[in-house]
Amino acid sequence: MAHPAPIPLFSAAAVNAGIDLGTAIQQVLDSHWYVLGQQVQGFESEFARYIGAAHCVSVANGTDALELALRAVGVAPGDKVVAVANAGFYGSTAIHAIGAVPLYADVDEATLTLSPVALEQALASQPAAVIVTHLYGHMADMPALSALCERAGVPLIEDCAQSHGAELAGRKAGSWGRLGCFSFYPTKNLGALGDGGAVTTGDAALAASLCTLRQYGWSHKYTVAVPGGCNSRLDEMQAAILRAKLPLLDAQNAQRRHIAARYNQAFAVLPLQCPPSVNGDYAAHLYVVRSPRRDALRVFLQAHGIATDVHYPIADHLQPAYPHAHLVGALEVTQAACAEVVSLPCYPGMLQSDVDRVIGAVQEFFLQDKGAAC
Ligand SMILES: *Cc1c(COP(=O)(O)O)cnc(C)c1O
């Protein structure tokens, strides 16, 4: 049997094909200016406009974006910060970097994003902030979550690292919370050719505070006015690359959703839990299904040359480096999802014939599975 080419989970070659990144890079080379210059300024204003936020402050990566956002709203060592435990530990890394304490709340069964019921319980512990992650590109229930945080007077920070361009009720991810945090890691929906990140906000004072924090806590050059500063800057090269790619984001998201919609339709009759939406509230960053037979399905697909991954296999509260995690309730939905989620290939530029092959192989697994069970 001839083996067709393997299908990767993500392809940078496919995503960046046909985009003129050379011109963007050449502009930076010709300018001889590499850090915090016109490209960064240009990108910040273009991205703020795209998101529908008054301000955008770029930083070195998405984890820094979360950490500086927490510092900007005044989170201090020992403070509690509400977060979910199924989002890859990025928020937890930022919380621990400050010496604050994650308080893990459970997620909603359908979207696997922060549950308003769990948040309401968590708010009783008087956290200093809440991080909501729009996981896999699905927007969380922002009307409910914002209302709860507003009533409690607790700042809500959005982790939008998987949801560039996702939109709910006409408002994009990153324009709902006090601050929106983005990563431009190469695999994200808007990806640089290296690390990058940004924070969006409608609050001018928070934006100014972020600008100080990302550069040593300087109010002016060599005057350290604010504690907790660091060096976290987007460079001109990545900013220029992101400016070339931003105009293509909506079309690339549409391609991702189109693939997700084809999968959802094909898998509707199978014993699989599929993404709950393929509309604008889902940026289709990852196409994730749930099955109790997840591990066997992965082995089967691997044998058919189809890459998969698990986002994420270990919940934050079970990570070995941080025992004694603080939980709100038993995190039942989080735990169940960790054991069942599997991500299938879904990226802009993915060949239709490869989408067909993934569909065929998944269908074959469950047919064969049925036969074996009889
Ligand atoms: C990728 C990611 C981050 C972190 O981004 P980096 O740029 O890699 O630091 C944060 N949160 C989520 C949900 C992510 O997927």
Side-chain angles (χ1 to χ4, degrees), residues 84-154:
V84 293
N86 67 336
F89 209 82
Y90 305 105
S92 297
T93 300
I95 295 166
H96 285 300
I98 295 178
V101 180
L103 178 60
Y104 295 114
D106 210 355
V107 294
D108 172 73
E109 173 69 31
T111 61
L112 299 183
T113 60
L114 182 59
S115 149
V117 176
L119 174 60
E120 189 160 21
Q121 257 182 290
L123 287 170
S125 303
Q126 301 189 307
V130 173
I131 298 176
V132 55
T133 304
H134 303 302
L135 195 68
Y136 310 146
H138 290 288
M139 285 210 58
D141 184 354
M142 293 310 288
L145 299 171
S146 313
L148 286 167
C149 285
E150 218 154 282
R151 200 188 321 148
V154 177

Side-chain angles (χ1 to χ4, degrees), residues 36 56 99 114 190 226:
L36 293 188
C56 168
L114 182 59
L190 179 60
V226 169

Side-chain angles (χ1 to χ4, degrees), residues 61-63 66 87 90 133 159 161-162 183-185 188 195-196 312:
N61 57 67
T63 310
L66 289 163
Y90 305 105
T133 304
D159 181 347
Q162 302 189 356
S183 165
F184 306 118
Y185 185 77
K188 308 296 188 186
D195 278 311
Y312 297 89

Side-chain angles (χ1 to χ4, degrees), residues 167-226:
E167 194 171 307
L168 186 65
R171 287 171 67 183
K172 287 206 165 70
S175 71
W176 284 83
R178 287 285 293 284
L179 298 149
C181 300
F182 291 84
S183 165
F184 306 118
Y185 185 77
T187 62
K188 308 296 188 186
N189 287 37
L190 179 60
L193 302 189
D195 278 311
V199 185
T200 52
T201 182
D203 184 323
L206 285 178
S209 157
L210 287 162
C211 286
T212 301
L213 287 166
R214 76 173 167 184
Q215 187 150 248
Y216 321 115
W218 284 353
S219 55
H220 304 280
K221 202 173 180 185
Y222 307 135
T223 303
V224 181
V226 169

Side-chain angles (χ1 to χ4, degrees), residues 24-45:
I25 291 168
Q26 193 60 48
Q27 280 174 0
V28 177
L29 293 177
D30 292 342
S31 78
H32 304 282
W33 191 275
Y34 311 113
V35 174
L36 293 188
Q38 282 182 5
Q39 295 291 348
V40 163
Q41 254 179 33
F43 174 70
E44 287 178 341
S45 69

